[in-house]
Every structure is written in C-alpha cells, then in structure tokens.
Amino acid sequence: MNVRDADRKTLLADAAIEVLGTGGVRALTHRAVDTAAGLPQGTCGYHFPSRAALLTAALTRIAALDLADASGADLPAVLRGWVLGDAARTRARFMLMLDPQARAELGPSAADLAGGFVQRAVELFGSQDRARLAIALIDGLLLDELTRGTVTDEQRRARLAAVQEIVTIHR
C-alpha cells in the first residue's frame, strides 16, 4: 500500500467515525463516508469493499486515537477531550459497542482492540480485575457526560478520584 492509499484510508476511517458519531450506525454507508470525506463516490467501497471492513476500519481508528490520547498522564484532561473535543468519536465508539448488528459484523476485532485498553488500564491500576472495573466506570462517566450534559473540570477530577479510590481499595 502506498502513502496516498494509507492517507486516503485514514481520511475515510475518520469520515466513518464522523458519520457514526453524528448519524448512528444506520447512517454509515459507503456513500455517506465518501461524502463526509469529500471524495468521489466509490472511493470508500474501493478501499473498504464490505460494511464489515468499513466498521473495522472505523473501530481500529477509534482505538488508535483513544489509546494515543490515553497515553497522556492527565486522565481528566483526556476525558474532557473525549467529551468536549471529539464527542463524535466517543459517540461512535459507544454506537459500535452497543449496536448488536455492528458487533456481529465486527466479530472478534472488537474484543481484540479492547484488549489494548485493558492492558493500558492494567498498567495504571495494577490488575486485570481493577482495570476492567476502571474501564467500566470511566465508560459510565463518559456516557453520563454525553447524555446528561458536561460537568466542570473540577467535578470530572472528583469523579476520577472516586474511580481511582474504588479500583484501588484493598490493593
């Protein structure tokens, strides 16, 4: 694959995330992604010939961007970015997690990509059980902010301190 194809695939994956995050899983079509990317019709279908390939590309891109964000030391700032800076990406991730048809089309790739987050959380929280609990709590906080409105940075820090306290009890 040449650089131009790689750049185009990234552009298409980013456009797919935008379509998912603003219109939902049902809005995700090759045509909608081509339009969102500003590319000629048929480009998305050429690079991602099936819906499963397109969903996988979007989820892979979400995971790469989220993991890059999560490598930062300031978790409250990361969450703030996911809710305020790139809410479409966060909504797209939830859409892919919650839609049964999308999960079926993604197959094992969804679980494989989630493993990267678990590993990162294990580094932060010390065990796989604590890591999974922290991820579940943080996902809940994100969903709460996306559906009920944003919280202040001070409230976000307090919530994450509570998460830290919960997952580190009886260490």
Side-chain angles (χ1 to χ4, degrees):
M1 173 172 43
N2 64 39
V3 173
R4 182 179 160 117
D5 281 347
D7 290 345
R8 198 162 273 196
K9 283 185 172 189
T10 300
L11 177 65
L12 289 164
D14 288 341
I17 292 166
E18 188 64 29
V19 170
L20 282 165
T22 58
V25 175
R26 304 293 175 258
L28 185 70
T29 64
H30 287 89
R31 181 178 297 273
V33 172
D34 283 334
T35 299
L39 295 172
Q41 296 298 312
T43 306
C44 184
Y46 173 78
H47 289 287
F48 305 111
S50 68
R51 180 173 168 83
L54 181 56
L55 287 167
T56 300
L59 184 60
T60 301
R61 181 75 172 144
I62 290 168
L65 293 168
D66 284 354
L67 277 173
D69 290 347
S71 67
D74 187 11
L75 191 54
V78 169
L79 295 185
R80 183 177 195 280
W82 287 350
V83 172
L84 300 176
D86 205 344
R89 182 188 348 150
T90 302
R91 281 192 302 274
R93 181 166 54 84
F94 280 118
M95 299 275 183
L96 293 174
M97 288 169 40
L98 296 171
D99 187 85
Q101 182 178 351
R103 288 194 60 85
E105 289 181 81
L106 285 164
S109 64
D112 293 343
L113 290 169
F117 284 96
V118 173
Q119 183 56 44
R120 175 72 177 119
V122 166
E123 294 167 12
L124 292 171
F125 299 107
S127 76
Q128 188 148 19
D129 288 341
R130 287 187 183 102
R132 289 187 182 281
L133 177 59
I135 289 169
L137 292 169
I138 290 169
D139 279 346
L141 294 177
L142 285 169
L143 187 59
D144 181 65
E145 285 196 46
L146 287 172
T147 58
R148 297 177 196 232
T150 59
V151 297
T152 67
D153 285 339
E154 183 178 321
Q155 290 168 320
R156 190 175 293 111
R157 286 187 188 285
R159 286 175 161 199
L160 287 169
V163 168
Q164 180 72 35
E165 184 178 332
I166 290 167
V167 298
T168 56
I169 290 176
H170 306 300
R171 218 172 181 186

